[in-house]
Amino acid sequence: MARPAEYWVCQVCGTAARKWSGRCENCGGWNTVVAEAAATPIPGGLSAPRRRGAAGISFTNLKGVEAPPPRRPSSLEEFDRVTGGGLVPGSALLVGGDPGIGKSTLLLQVAGGMALSGLACAYVTGEEAVDQIRLRAGRLGFAEAPVELAAETALGEILAALDSLGHLDLLVVDSIQTLYAEGIEAAPGTVSQVRAVAAELVRYAKRRGVIVILVGHVTKDGQIAGPRVIEHLVDTVLYFEGERSHQFRILRGVKNRFGPTDEIGVFEMTGRGLAQVANPSGLFLGRRDPDVSGSVVFAGIEGTRPLLVEIQALVAPSSLGTPRRATVGWDGGRLAMILAVLETRCGIVFGLRDVYLNVAGGLRISEPAADLAVAAALVSAAFDRPVPPNTVIFGEIGLTGEVRAVPHRELRLKEAQKLGFEAALMPAANGSRPEGFHVREVTRLAELVASLVGDALEAGPGGPHRNH
Ligand code: TYD
Ligand code: MG
């Protein structure tokens, strides 16, 4: 048999090329391109030719609503919140995340919980030994849960074994990178293998009406094919995030054919597995010291849920030719924009100073409503002035220095009041406000600056140069 032609595939983005290169032309990753055998069709797979005389497909129309698929609760409310109210039979989910973040723990809890509620669940691991999983299950309190457990990496064997199990509601496969399809000449974890295995498992999910959850590791060094190459195959993509040094974990939906993608699920890693955090605001505020400059409480919204988070800024003299602009949990480009607006519209020059911005607790914020809180933290840090105590801040900043209204202001204020805050700095807008709550509306960024450090500005124009 002729050896199938080789081609070169980037293990991060999946781009294929005819020849090797040290750097992927598409994503720019270094040393990510490796040789893979050209894909061979999976027996009976998509490329099987249509039999002569077989009826072709028939088109239909958009009318005729079928009953929405009944969802299966996952036993974890935070998980259901992200999937849109439970798992849809016949759907395939991908749960991605850094190694060690807690994916196996989360999915063992889901499988255990669903099994205890009477659903038929199987957990196939290609990473750990059966005894390791049992040990973990014991720790999580699921030793008695009737989960069908197997340690295997050959896809064919797994599918055959699943057939012999009979009816199944949930299948967890941990992880997609360790499995291999026998017909494919490539090592497990390569793009061809990961794609083939995922396609086959998704087909299994649709054919049998089984919920299939795939675990995928995301690595930055590009050694293992990232789950990104299979995102388009599955119905739902969730990422499990968090700093490993923090105990908080966030489950975030990035694609969902059956629900919203802006909800987050919040968990806390404990000695007995992942605990759900129903009211995350308290958690992210932590032990905050209100008298320190550069610390601001942002009243945010994640999905449908209000969330108060602390935003910290530090402005320090720089010893570098190009001062540092470092952010954790917030977009670096957005920080540059806010610094530019502060400089141009408010005359606060950060010039040769390092600027650090951190969203406390390991959360990542993408809401533009955080602009005003970020600006307040920067100004407060630059002038070493704490922001008024018990105050939350939110609002979007435009390039002309205007402060724009943001949605859900009542929800934000209510949450702030619930957590003991008494005042808010926010954009002008109509609508009710909680009783006894002091609201200060700002329409321009300069107003915010004046209210935080007005007297210091008058004493020395040019802002944070006051040390000079
Ligand atoms: P794991 O689920 O194995 O991560 P992943 O599958 O994403 O690689 O979880 C790994 C970490 O979680 C490990 O460092 C230990 C910690 N952990 C706890 O703190 N408590 C627990 O109850 C469990 C099961 C794990
Ligand atoms: Mg794992």
Side-chain angles (χ1 to χ4, degrees):
M1 198 179 84
R3 196 179 140 65
E6 272 188 340
Y7 67 130
W8 300 88
V9 183
C10 170
Q11 301 296 298
V12 175
C13 68
T15 304
R18 288 213 169 269
K19 58 179 176 39
W20 182 84
S21 67
R23 185 168 192 229
C24 171
E25 284 184 5
N26 182 42
C27 69
W30 291 97
N31 286 329
T32 58
V33 178
V34 302
E36 287 190 19
T40 43
I42 305 163
L46 282 176
S47 53
R50 188 156 71 80
R51 273 169 292 116
R52 214 179 254 250
I57 62 158
S58 57
F59 286 93
T60 175
N61 54 32
L62 296 174
K63 278 190 302 205
V65 187
E66 284 179 31
R71 290 171 182 260
R72 307 262 188 231
S74 71
S75 79
L76 290 175
E77 268 173 48
E78 290 294 299
F79 195 91
D80 287 345
R81 176 196 296 283
V82 181
T83 54
L87 301 164
V88 178
S91 68
L93 293 89
L94 170 68
V95 176
D98 293 340
I101 204 74
K103 301 181 295 298
S104 305
T105 308
L106 176 72
L107 294 176
L108 191 58
Q109 284 180 241
V110 168
M114 289 177 78
L116 283 180
S117 74
L119 298 169
C121 302
Y123 188 103
V124 177
T125 175
E127 303 214 324
E128 290 160 291
V130 164
D131 280 338
Q132 272 176 291
I133 306 282
R134 285 196 184 126
L135 209 68
R136 180 180 292 160
R139 183 128 74 101
L140 302 175
F142 286 115
E144 302 298 322
V147 175
E148 302 284 350
L149 177 64
E152 177 59 60
T153 53
L155 181 65
E157 302 278 329
I158 293 171
L159 290 174
L162 289 174
D163 277 343
S164 68
L165 269 186
H167 172 75
L168 198 61
D169 291 301
L170 171 77
L171 168 66
V172 175
V173 176
D174 186 8
S175 68
I176 187 87
Q177 276 107 352
T178 51
L179 264 52
Y180 67 94
E182 288 87 341
I184 300 219
E185 253 189 67
T190 52
V191 170
S192 330
Q193 278 291 4
V194 166
R195 268 201 193 132
V197 170
E200 200 62 20
L201 286 168
V202 170
R203 204 173 317 146
Y204 169 81
K206 307 276 171 221
R207 203 175 56 223
R208 296 303 198 81
V210 177
I211 302 158
V212 173
I213 305 183
L214 309 172
V215 174
H217 293 292
V218 186
T219 54
K220 292 188 185 76
D221 57 36
Q223 285 305 303
I224 314 172
R228 302 214 171 265
V229 299
I230 56 166
E231 280 185 357
H232 63 285
L233 290 174
V234 295
D235 299 301
T236 301
V237 180
L238 310 176
Y239 277 92
F240 204 37
E241 318 170 330
E243 300 286 322
R244 235 182 300 172
S245 48
H246 286 96
Q247 68 272 42
F248 318 131
R249 300 284 182 271
I250 289 164
L251 188 68
R252 192 184 288 276
V254 297
K255 163 181 173 178
N256 194 352
R257 289 189 180 141
F258 303 110
T261 52
D262 55 357
E263 291 283 359
I264 62 168
V266 184
F267 298 88
E268 189 178 354
M269 185 59 98
T270 70
R272 306 198 54 208
L274 290 156
Q276 308 190 70
V277 181
N279 185 2
S281 287
L283 193 84
F284 287 111
L285 286 182
R287 285 185 300 276
R288 181 178 166 263
D289 184 351
D291 299 326
V292 177
S293 67
S295 160
V296 166
V297 176
F298 164 55
I301 299 278
E302 285 288 347
T304 53
R305 190 162 48 170
L307 184 62
L308 299 194
V309 254
E310 179 186 355
I311 293 182
Q312 302 170 334
L314 181 68
V315 177
S318 181
S319 54
L320 303 166
T322 312
R324 284 193 66 133
R325 304 283 185 247
T327 58
V328 177
W330 170 256
D331 178 37
R334 197 99 194 157
L335 172 68
M337 185 203 97
I338 291 173
L339 289 174
V341 175
L342 278 171
E343 186 162 335
T344 319
R345 309 289 175 191
C346 308
I348 299 181
V349 184
F350 287 86
L352 295 176
R353 298 183 141 217
D354 289 336
V355 175
Y356 301 88
L357 193 87
N358 177 36
V359 178
L363 190 73
R364 205 186 66 216
I365 301 181
S366 51
E367 241 194 318
D371 291 353
L372 200 63
V374 168
L378 291 170
V379 172
S380 158
F383 288 85
D384 195 14
R385 288 279 183 91
V387 297
N390 288 327
T391 303
V392 296
I393 302 183
F394 61 89
E396 186 181 345
I397 297 174
L399 289 183
T400 64
E402 85 274 25
V403 175
R404 299 167 169 223
V406 294
H408 306 300
R409 69 179 232 144
E410 275 142 48
L411 213 57
R412 295 174 204 266
L413 292 179
K414 228 182 261 166
E415 177 79 358
Q417 194 177 38
K418 203 168 91 191
L419 280 137
F421 288 84
E422 292 157 2
L425 267 163
M426 54 182 243
N430 300 326
S432 67
R433 53 190 64 172
E435 213 156 291
F437 203 79
H438 181 73
V439 170
R440 163 133 204 205
E441 294 180 344
V442 287
T443 52
R444 305 216 38 98
L445 184 55
E447 287 171 38
L448 174 92
V449 172
S451 82
L452 293 180
V453 295
D455 47 339
L457 268 184
E458 277 156 27
H465 292 303
R466 63 186 186 89
N467 289 341
H468 294 210

